[in-house]
Amino acid sequence: MKHLRVAIFGAGPAGIYAGNILAGSYENVTIDLFDSLPAPYGLIRYGVAPDHPRIKGIVNSLHEMLDSGKIRFFGNVEFGRDLTLEDMQRHYHAVIFATGAIKDATLNIPGVDLQGSFGAADFVSWYDGHPDVPRTWPLTAENVAILGNGNVALDVARVLTKQANDMLTTDIPVNVYEELKDSRVTDVHVFGRRGPADIKFTPIELRELGEVADVEIVLSPEDFPEGWFNEDAEGVTNQHRVMARVLQSWLERESKPAKRRLHLHFWHQPKEILGEGGKVSGIRFERKGENRDYPVEAVYRAIGYWGSELPNVPYDDSKGVIRNIDGRVVDEKENQISGLYATGWIKRGPVGLI
């Protein structure tokens, strides 16, 4: 069998797993793994909250794959600048793109560009010490809105409400700890477009919120009418049932004094981020046919990640992925481009857990 040379661009979980599978499948293969950042591991390093060591522990498995000696890693290599597609096609039999989805999905409502309106992905990168993000973050808001009902929204909410000293047992960067220690936040509001029966959290993430010290969980009874959860409905899983029990227990427990409050709102469709003097002053939603305004000084958009376009690589801007069929890169007429492949979130979009 001829000797194969394969390049993988993107050193997150998808790229490393792809290299490991190739190394175990072909005896005569050379695998070069490239990333624009100086260190590997992608979202495991720069997308997981510091207080989630269980998930960050995946790095140990990825490290073993890189430490096997079968994959060479090259950091600080920017695709299209340091290495072009033409370069890689000339020197490798195959090129696999595993660049993931690292930027925020677009939210097309008025006021989204106001000062104090942030993408959750940028905030996550900040508290994880991403080298391309400024070391400071404006934590001057007392009232904060978070848009989204997924795990990233809960991560942002937890980091904003948790006492900074409770993060000292984690690998939180020193500059992040200092900023969080001086945060003025008192109330964090998490808004979902759908009802509580349709949340996209995972049970462990949801339960974790109720265990954060000095934080009161606030729910609105109007979001939970009688019979709000039908455990026999089509598509309902055990995870849904667990989360429904957690929410119901929060509804029934007594209020307690706390330094910070975390409000969960449902059936809220964002319509406009309100501003004064170029800064966020509130946010407007539509809830079941009526408009509701909330006074907040910051808005975090956690509505999903989006893949980035790569120079000269076919890209589907309606989905935020490299244009492909079953991982084989194709042009606009769906003709396969020989030797080019995609895997992970840049192939299928940001779905599923790490």
Side-chain angles (χ1 to χ4, degrees):
M1 186 174 68
K2 72 176 183 179
H3 189 88
L4 295 176
R5 290 180 54 82
V6 178
I8 302 173
F9 210 95
I16 295 175
Y17 273 111
N20 187 62
I21 291 170
L22 284 170
S25 302
Y26 298 95
E27 183 177 350
N28 298 314
V29 61
T30 297
I31 303 165
D32 290 341
L33 180 65
F34 300 93
D35 201 278
S36 59
L37 295 173
Y41 310 134
L43 274 184
I44 301 295
R45 183 185 292 271
Y46 297 118
V48 176
D51 58 348
H52 276 180
R54 180 182 59 85
I55 301 177
K56 281 184 173 287
I58 298 172
V59 163
N60 297 327
S61 296
L62 300 179
H63 175 75
E64 289 180 9
M65 297 177 194
L66 291 184
D67 201 40
S68 67
K70 298 178 180 179
I71 303 172
R72 298 193 301 176
F73 172 71
F74 299 88
N76 278 329
V77 179
E78 185 175 329
F79 183 82
R81 184 192 66 186
D82 303 314
L83 271 181
T84 67
L85 179 61
E86 184 180 38
D87 292 332
M88 302 181 88
Q89 288 177 311
R90 185 164 58 246
H91 293 287
Y92 296 95
H93 295 101
V95 180
I96 301 173
F97 297 103
T99 49
I102 59 174
K103 64 181 183 180
D104 289 286
T106 302
L107 178 64
N108 292 316
I109 62 173
V112 74
D113 295 324
L114 286 168
Q115 183 179 338
S117 172
F118 306 107
D122 292 334
F123 184 61
V124 171
S125 294
W126 172 73
Y127 66 57
D128 274 327
H130 194 294
D132 294 339
V133 175
R135 291 177 59 80
T136 60
W137 193 273
L139 292 171
T140 57
E142 294 182 1
N143 298 281
V144 175
I146 300 174
L147 308 181
N149 260 181
N151 282 345
V152 174
L154 289 194
D155 283 348
V156 172
R158 195 179 62 258
V159 170
L160 286 173
T161 55
K162 205 169 190 176
Q163 298 300 311
N165 284 345
D166 292 339
M167 303 281 274
L168 287 175
T169 57
T170 74
D171 62 355
I172 186 174
V174 173
N175 64 296
V176 175
Y177 165 74
E178 294 294 339
E179 296 269 358
L180 290 175
K181 186 174 64 173
D182 296 331
S183 171
R184 296 171 56 190
V185 68
T186 60
D187 290 80
V188 173
H189 299 261
V190 180
F191 295 94
R193 301 185 187 195
R194 293 181 289 185
D198 298 311
I199 52 179
K200 299 299 182 183
F201 313 134
T202 53
I204 190 170
E205 291 267 2
L206 188 64
R207 280 198 303 261
E208 196 174 8
L209 282 187
E211 299 168 358
V212 178
D214 279 325
V215 175
E216 180 185 6
I217 306 294
V218 182
L219 301 178
S220 175
E222 69 176 352
D223 288 335
F224 298 88
E226 186 175 350
W228 69 271
F229 181 73
N230 179 7
E231 65 176 27
D232 297 321
E234 184 178 354
V236 170
T237 66
N238 284 333
Q239 286 197 337
H240 293 117
R241 296 183 183 98
V242 169
M243 290 190 287
R245 288 196 292 269
V246 170
L247 291 174
Q248 190 64 42
S249 70
W250 290 348
L251 271 172
E252 296 170 357
R253 72 183 181 184
E254 294 183 3
S255 177
K256 62 178 181 179
K259 292 182 179 179
R260 288 170 174 161
R261 290 166 294 279
L262 177 54
H263 309 256
L264 299 181
H265 305 270
F266 302 96
W267 307 114
H268 280 66
Q269 176 76 26
K271 303 300 290 185
E272 181 179 0
I273 299 175
L274 309 174
E276 292 181 5
K279 299 180 180 180
V280 171
S281 63
I283 185 166
R284 176 170 295 157
F285 295 89
E286 179 186 337
R287 187 189 186 279
K288 297 188 175 181
E290 66 175 21
N291 286 338
R292 294 193 180 181
D293 293 353
Y294 293 82
V296 297
E297 302 91 52
V299 175
Y300 289 80
R301 309 180 305 275
I303 58 172
Y305 286 100
W306 201 253
S308 300
E309 189 171 359
L310 297 172
N312 299 316
V313 179
Y315 179 76
D316 185 343
D317 56 11
S318 68
K319 299 178 180 178
V321 299
I322 288 175
R323 195 179 298 276
N324 75 93
I325 297 177
D326 296 330
R328 295 173 172 83
V329 178
V330 297
D331 60 21
E332 291 186 358
K333 296 182 178 179
E334 297 193 347
N335 297 313
Q336 183 179 345
I337 301 176
S338 180
L340 298 189
Y341 303 88
T343 188
W345 282 4
I346 198 60
K347 167 196 170 185
R348 66 181 186 274
V351 294
L353 302 175
I354 296 175

